[in-house]
Amino acid sequence: MLKIKENSLFQESSETRKIYTVSQLNRQSRLLLESRFSTIWVEGEISNFKHHSSGHIYLTLKDESAQISAAFFSQYQRGLRFELKDGLKVLAFCRVSVYEARGQYQLYIERVEPQGLGALQLAFQQLKERLAKEGLFDKERKRSIPRFPRTVGVITSPTGAAIHDILNVVNRRFCGTHVLLYPVKVQGEGAAEEIAAAIGTMNEHSEADVLIVGRGGGSLEDLWAFNEEPVARAIFGSQIPVISAVGHESDWTICDLVADLRAPTPSAAAELVVSSRLELEERLRGHKERLDFAMNGMFGRYQEELSNLVSSAAFRQPQYLLDQFTGRVDDLGRRMENRLTNFVDSKSQAFQGIMGRLNALNPLAILERGYSVSFNEKGDIIKDVRQLSVGDTMQTRLHKGSLVSKILKVMH
């Protein structure tokens, strides 16, 4: 009978066991995932979006039933045209790995594309909405374009078709207009910064009356410099009116929306800003004809009025009219003199009557009839002998002169 030692099936020698530390297990897991999924595309919706101060982005990609953490380091973000945010559905090109310190597996994103909409188109929509909220597209702030600019500033490539089209139109329509070219890159890395700097420099020197900013046609990628925020800010801050002339008539850019006027092409921009010499001469000729007609009519009216004046009596018999006016002046003078004399006599008689009445009421007039009035030393009129005593003096007013008396005796 075969005897089996108890629990022999569940016992191993220490030499046959494979034991991993936590760090070793996480490292092996990382190597396994990285070898199995070196780079993959992952579809999902962004949530828990965080933009760290270091420039790195941390987020979660999720679908209806699962989620996974992801990191998007700053060195991979240089080509990112649109803004990442929660709720945005994206396709992420990434590596799958394990963050060994926590034993957490996650994605390391190297490129992101919006799902269902091109990256450039999404970036255009995002910037357009943000700038519109800030008022950069408001019609109220747009400035009028001068009708007869002496100098037109053009910001474009010196070798592109745009500058040649503009010069051809200017020379054909009004060759006396000066064109000041500021050469810039119109596509590729750094083009937006060059365009924005050129607008700023043109404003600093203030040599142009109006600016044309643009280039010929191309794809959305070719025209992208004119969808960049620095260009929009520069146009918004320009003191010189700006005409945007980017691409073809069907192409619309952020530059078109913020500019004071949008032209469908560079040639059309030149047509808008430079008046045709022939059209101007024709307009001036029409104004001259209307002015001549108005002046002839006015001269005719004045000539008729002058003829009427010459044929009037004042010009035909001036001495007769002068005698008539002289006689009338003399007559008016005599009438005025008579009225003034009558007025003075009337007022003199009234004055004499008033003086007579005043003299009748004058107490001093009584003195003319032999009466007198006496005053004591205080100047009071003496009406009663009891006002006096022996030895007092009094003054007596006569019709002519006065005298002073001393009281020797008082009789009651």
Side-chain angles (χ1 to χ4, degrees):
M1 183 176 181
L2 180 62
K3 293 184 179 180
I4 301 176
K5 188 177 181 181
E6 187 178 1
N7 296 328
S8 63
L9 295 176
F10 303 98
Q11 292 180 348
E12 296 180 86
S13 66
S14 59
E15 290 79 6
T16 61
R17 293 179 179 178
K18 179 62 176 176
I19 300 174
Y20 291 91
T21 65
V22 174
S23 298
Q24 289 173 334
L25 181 58
N26 287 344
R27 185 175 298 111
Q28 290 297 319
S29 299
R30 178 177 65 81
L31 294 174
L32 180 61
L33 279 173
E34 289 180 353
S35 63
R36 177 66 178 85
F37 303 102
S38 58
T39 53
I40 59 172
W41 286 94
V42 178
E43 175 185 3
E45 179 182 322
I46 295 176
S47 64
N48 299 322
F49 177 85
K50 294 179 182 178
H51 203 152
H52 197 269
S53 58
S54 62
H56 305 322
I57 294 175
Y58 301 94
L59 52 89
T60 299
L61 286 180
K62 66 177 184 178
D63 57 18
E64 293 78 4
S65 56
Q67 65 180 26
I68 183 174
S69 299
F72 192 12
F73 295 134
S74 58
Q75 64 265 29
Y76 295 109
Q77 299 173 23
R78 294 176 183 173
L80 186 65
R81 298 288 190 181
F82 60 96
E83 180 182 355
L84 298 179
K85 58 183 178 180
D86 287 336
L88 185 66
K89 292 184 178 181
V90 297
L91 291 174
F93 182 75
C94 50
R95 294 180 292 106
V96 183
S97 187
V98 173
Y99 181 47
E100 296 183 24
R102 295 182 182 174
Q104 177 183 358
Y105 102 97
Q106 63 181 19
L107 304 177
Y108 291 88
I109 299 174
E110 296 182 359
R111 194 168 79 231
V112 177
E113 294 180 2
Q115 188 178 14
L117 189 65
L120 293 182
Q121 190 63 34
L122 177 60
F124 175 84
Q125 293 295 338
Q126 289 179 340
L127 182 59
K128 178 182 175 182
E129 292 173 3
R130 180 156 55 85
L131 297 182
K133 290 179 181 178
E134 295 184 32
L136 269 69
F137 306 152
D138 292 349
K139 293 183 179 180
E140 294 75 13
R141 55 151 293 274
K142 294 183 182 292
R143 293 147 299 197
S144 59
I145 306 300
R147 295 189 62 186
F148 303 104
R150 287 182 292 183
T151 302
V152 178
V154 180
I155 299 174
T156 189
S157 170
T159 59
I163 184 60
H164 297 290
D165 293 343
I166 291 172
L167 290 176
N168 288 335
V169 172
V170 170
N171 290 329
R172 173 171 52 83
R173 291 176 65 84
F174 211 121
C175 60
T177 304
H178 298 292
V179 177
L180 183 62
L181 172 65
Y182 196 115
V184 294
K185 291 170 55 179
V186 293
Q187 70 182 72
E189 192 72 25
E193 289 72 17
E194 283 194 21
I195 296 169
I199 295 172
T201 302
M202 284 288 201
N203 276 269
E204 290 176 6
H205 294 283
S206 300
E207 295 180 358
D209 302 309
V210 64
L211 297 179
I212 297 177
V213 179
R215 56 154 291 161
S219 65
L220 181 59
E221 291 80 3
D222 295 336
L223 305 180
W224 189 251
F226 299 90
N227 285 320
E228 295 278 9
E229 186 170 354
V231 175
R233 299 284 183 191
I235 294 174
F236 180 75
S238 175
Q239 298 301 313
I240 304 173
V242 177
I243 298 177
S244 174
V246 181
H248 300 300
E249 186 170 359
S250 59
D251 299 321
W252 277 85
T253 64
I254 297 295
C255 179
D256 295 327
L257 298 173
V258 73
D260 299 295
L261 181 65
R262 187 248 179 183
T265 63
S267 298
E271 296 273 355
L272 291 171
V273 78
V274 180
S275 299
S276 169
R277 180 183 291 274
L278 295 177
E279 292 175 3
L280 181 59
E281 290 176 352
E282 184 64 29
R283 227 176 330 171
L284 291 175
R285 191 177 298 110
H287 289 319
K288 180 180 181 299
E289 291 176 356
R290 287 193 294 272
L291 182 61
D292 289 343
F293 180 80
M295 293 296 292
N296 290 334
M298 184 175 65
F299 288 147
R301 289 193 301 273
Y302 286 154
Q303 187 174 10
E304 183 178 356
E305 291 179 6
L306 182 60
S307 299
N308 293 334
L309 289 174
V310 170
S311 61
S312 65
F315 282 91
R316 287 186 292 104
Q317 299 176 339
Q319 186 61 46
Y320 170 77
L321 290 177
L322 183 61
D323 293 341
Q324 293 292 319
F325 286 133
T326 302
R328 187 176 179 184
V329 169
D330 291 342
D331 182 58
L332 290 174
R334 285 192 297 271
R335 290 167 60 183
M336 182 181 294
E337 184 178 356
N338 292 335
R339 288 188 180 182
L340 183 60
T341 300
N342 293 335
F343 176 78
V344 171
D345 291 344
S346 174
K347 295 302 180 183
S348 178
Q349 292 176 5
F351 178 74
Q352 293 297 329
I354 293 173
M355 289 299 296
R357 289 194 294 275
L358 288 175
N359 286 332
L361 297 176
N362 187 1
L364 297 179
I366 301 174
L367 301 181
E368 294 180 1
R369 299 198 293 272
Y371 292 95
S372 63
V373 58
S374 299
F375 303 91
N376 60 15
E377 294 175 349
K378 297 180 180 180
D380 299 330
I381 296 176
I382 300 173
K383 299 179 180 179
D384 193 335
V385 295
R386 287 175 292 185
Q387 292 178 252
L388 299 172
S389 300
V390 177
D392 291 345
T393 59
M394 70 176 183
Q395 182 179 5
T396 301
R397 174 79 180 274
L398 304 175
H399 172 55
K400 294 182 179 180
S402 60
L403 53 88
V404 178
S405 306
K406 186 173 183 180
I407 305 302
L408 300 177
K409 183 179 181 180
V410 177
M411 293 182 293
H412 296 283

